[in-house]
Amino acid sequence: MYPNSSPINSNNTQSPFMIQQEDEIDLKVILFNYLQYWPVILFFAFAGLVAAFFFNRLTTPIYKVESTVIVKDENNSLGADLFESAGLVGLQGKSNIENEIGVLKSFSLAQETLNKLDFNVQYFEEDFLKYNQIYGNYPVFIKVDWTKEQVVGGLFKIEVIDESNFQLSIVENEFQIFNPNDPYYKTNLEELKLSQDVFQFGQPVKGDSFEFTVEKVSAIGGEQVFFKMIDTPSLALNFKDQLTVSPSNKQSSILILGLETPLRRMGEDYLNKLMETYLQRELDDKNRTAENTILFIDQQLSGITDSLRGSENKLQQYRSENKIFNLSQEGSIIFERLQEYEKEKGMNEVNLKYLQTLSTYLGSGQAGELVSPSIVGTTDPLLNALVQNLSELQAERVRLTANFSDQTPQVRDINARIQSTTKALQENVNSAITNTKNVLADLNNRIRMIEQDINALPETERNLLGYQRQFTINENIYIYFLQKKAEAEITKASNMPSNMILDFGKSGVLPVAPKRSLNLLIGLILGFILPIGFITVKDFLNTTIEDPKELEKQIKVPLIGMIGRNNSDDALPVFNNPRSTVTESFRSLRADLTYLSMQREKLTLLFTSSISGEGKTFVSMNMASVFALMGKKTILIGLDLRKPRIAQDFGLTNDKGMSTCLSSNTSWKEVVKPSGYENLDVILSGPIPPNPAELLLQEKFSRIIKEIKDNYDIVVFDCPPVGLVSESKELFAFADISFYVFRQGYSIKGNTQILNNLVEKGGVSKIYGVLNDLHIDKGYGYGYGYGYGYGYGNNSYGYHEEVQLPWWKRALRRQK
């Protein structure tokens, strides 16, 4: 029933040279894919530069302010070596660099620093699309009472009316209420309203949650000043986050403090005050020991002074009344022995009182207020070492808690060490108290024995010895405490911070931000990347066939021809526009058929596609036209019985055609219609039948085709899409050569598998691919839509009409 046709054997092997050449062309394809969008890419690159320029213009310059501090190992202060035995030297050990960095970056230090500065009111001047903060030389000065509730965060505007009055308005109504009784938690304020808008300079400006005074400095009529109020905790948190502290190198103890700010002088003032506050805090820690010692001695002196005065008065009175001034030789000997024991007893009683006070401190958790044991004459080395170690641990804990919470490992470790040291010290103190009491008991026994010898003296001398004894005891204790107080005061006066300011705050001349050149480069790069990325993503997500090279790789048959876009409304450019590039595409395809048909005089061609709209009817019509122009007797048969198009394109009436012949006794010759062009006849599809598939499968169709082939040189089938209907697969057997039409930018990439299945499973041979409507240039050799796809270019010597190429294509073509 169906004529046989032998398949064409093809050798698909390629030489290494061909593969390398193909890889090189792929790179050019990628390049051309982006170059076709060059106006868009250049536009975005220019837009990126413009955006970067305005970003640089609108961004406030930021300057880097730096200062340096030397962190030293603590040395004894001047004169402290004189009183080392008294325990009055500083108790801090070697400074830890990391801890010092923590202290410098602590919130508490920042808050203490800002309390000494007047940064709570920020002043601004209006600039192009922004507000620039100013520092110093303010036109007006705002006095704020921070002991009362104040609104913070929002932006006020002052407009000077005259020498006495100004107008106040709100620019940014984003206020919070600061309560000094709860300074770390602010409440939001939905909207702030002013009861009036005109105020006098020097008069309080009051509202529901604010009160401040505006003082005129140098403002003139019409001048505008913007300001906002910020509470100290918020400022401290801001400065704390902005401050950077780092060692100059790993081995150095020099710390570099850095602050980035738009106001260089304000940054310098803050760093200088921060370093001063830091050193003062260190000095205060050192002086705390001496202050505690002086306080303890003053408490003891307040009691002993009264006793000394009373005993002195009694001694003088007794001497005057009894006219006795000196003791006898025997009494003097007894007094000297008694005086020695009484002095030793007094020292031990002072020591016992200190130990009891120390025990009370330890029990109440007030170990941070300890006085060194050496100040009261305690020479126990273990007790002295424990007290000194506990004081150092307490000072270390104060430093750590300034920057870390109680749950951090460092604080938890120091707390454990403090607890362990306190326990050991408490045990040692209890033992020392017991020993001191034993010593006092022994001294009391010795004193009682001497008192027996005193009883043997005359009554007058015995009473004088008692008064003299009491006075001497009080005098010795009083002199001892005065000496220790003088030592503590000298130590306090000689204390100096172990750390030192090396360089005060100094700002760089050039801003560190914005980086103008870098921003311009980033803008340019982003301007290129955004469109290129969009094009890449678009191509990646694109499911239609765009690149002829990609199509060649996907199909398992040769891509024999490529038809350029028909830029006119004429469906038959071969007849009506013979010098167009589209016509040349069909001529080239016709020439290739010479090698595929083995010089056969008669030829039957079949055109199909995957879906409707891919241009198979357009290709089949114009291929028939090309052969007709050669003088070949050609007939075009419309076999798409479901959706006919040929009649409309030729200006014919589809009243009869192939469906008429197959469904009646009408001869095929009766339905042949002249196309209006020489050597070209047309058999239309005819009226749409209810059973198109069954009609084409009749044996009558086979006889009709055989008769048509006998009467014509070239027979062209315009078949229905093989991806949509089934009868197209049966029509391949009637064709000598079949063509599968794809359309650039329209055909789905997955439809190539339909063609591959026809070859692999359907046994279809002599089928080739054709790419229609080629208009997107993907690289060298495929620019048919621009009129140089076959190498004719601008110097085409009259072969066909030219479309002027873009300048970059002409330049690249010259390089090729």
Side-chain angles (χ1 to χ4, degrees), residues 99-106 109 243 245 255 257 274 278:
N99 290 343
E100 298 304 316
I101 292 176
V103 172
L104 285 167
K105 286 183 60 66
S106 65
L109 185 63
L243 181 69
V245 183
L255 297 179
L257 284 66
L274 178 73
Y278 166 70

Side-chain angles (χ1 to χ4, degrees), residues 350-397:
V350 171
N351 188 26
L352 178 62
K353 188 172 184 179
Y354 165 76
L355 291 174
Q356 291 172 341
T357 303
L358 179 59
S359 178
T360 303
Y361 280 166
L362 293 174
S364 62
Q366 295 177 331
E369 306 296 329
L370 294 181
V371 176
S372 175
S374 299
I375 193 66
V376 293
T378 302
T379 59
D380 186 352
L382 178 59
L383 182 62
N384 277 277
L386 287 173
V387 171
Q388 180 174 350
N389 189 29
L390 183 59
S391 298
E392 291 175 351
L393 291 175
Q394 288 285 353
E396 184 71 11
R397 184 183 183 278

Side-chain angles (χ1 to χ4, degrees), residues 605-609 616-617 620 637-641 646 696 716-722 725 727-729 731-732 735:
L605 306 178
L606 181 146
F607 292 89
T608 187
S609 63
K616 61 177 181 56
T617 300
S620 61
I637 304 176
L639 297 180
D640 189 352
L641 305 185
I646 296 178
L696 294 176
V716 179
F717 293 159
D718 176 28
C719 296
V722 70
V725 299
E727 61 265 24
S728 296
K729 298 179 181 179
L731 299 177
F732 287 112

Side-chain angles (χ1 to χ4, degrees), residues 505-694:
K506 185 173 180 58
S507 170
V509 178
L510 298 177
V512 296
K515 301 183 183 298
R516 301 182 184 276
S517 300
L518 180 61
N519 290 340
L520 291 174
L521 179 61
I522 293 175
L524 180 63
I525 293 175
L526 288 178
F528 278 109
I529 290 177
L530 289 178
I532 290 176
F534 176 78
I535 294 169
T536 302
V537 173
K538 180 181 73 69
D539 290 344
F540 177 78
L541 298 177
N542 186 17
T543 59
T544 61
I545 296 173
E546 302 284 354
D547 188 3
K549 277 293 184 183
E550 183 180 0
L551 178 60
E552 281 185 315
K553 294 177 182 179
Q554 291 183 357
I555 61 177
K556 296 184 178 181
V557 298
L559 182 64
I560 194 63
M562 286 171 279
I563 311 300
R565 165 162 286 191
N566 182 20
N567 292 317
S568 65
D569 295 332
D570 193 348
L572 294 169
V574 171
F575 284 125
N576 301 325
N577 194 6
R579 297 184 61 194
S580 67
T581 58
V582 178
T583 302
E584 190 63 32
S585 302
F586 287 108
R587 290 195 186 104
S588 178
L589 182 58
R590 181 197 65 193
D592 291 338
L593 290 179
T594 304
Y595 302 99
L596 300 176
S597 60
M598 297 178 293
Q599 305 297 327
R600 294 176 60 175
E601 293 296 329
K602 293 189 178 233
L603 196 62
T604 302
L605 306 178
L606 181 146
F607 292 89
T608 187
S609 63
S610 302
I611 57 176
S612 178
E614 292 179 301
K616 61 177 181 56
T617 300
F618 171 77
V619 175
S620 61
M621 286 169 30
N622 283 277
M623 279 302 299
S625 303
V626 168
F627 283 102
L629 287 174
M630 287 181 61
K632 296 284 188 178
K633 188 176 181 182
T634 306
I635 186 169
L636 174 63
I637 304 176
L639 297 180
D640 189 352
L641 305 185
R642 289 179 172 83
K643 193 175 180 182
R645 282 287 308 273
I646 296 178
Q648 177 182 351
D649 294 333
F650 277 97
L652 303 175
T653 303
N654 191 25
D655 54 349
K656 57 182 179 178
M658 183 57 69
S659 62
T660 306
C661 299
L662 296 177
S663 60
S664 64
N665 294 325
T666 305
S667 171
W668 65 271
K669 295 181 180 180
E670 296 180 15
V671 298
V672 174
K673 293 187 177 183
S675 65
Y677 300 97
E678 187 177 359
N679 298 323
L680 178 60
D681 292 332
V682 178
I683 296 180
L684 302 177
S685 59
I688 299 175
N691 54 346
E694 288 73 12

Side-chain angles (χ1 to χ4, degrees), residues 728-739:
S728 296
K729 298 179 181 179
E730 308 295 337
L731 299 177
F732 287 112
F734 295 96
D736 297 317
I737 300 176
S738 301
F739 295 96

Side-chain angles (χ1 to χ4, degrees), residues 92 278-286 399 497-499:
Q92 295 179 0
Y278 166 70
L279 296 182
Q280 185 61 45
R281 173 183 282 194
E282 181 191 0
L283 183 60
D284 292 342
D285 289 340
K286 284 189 172 185
R399 288 174 173 266
S498 57
N499 303 328

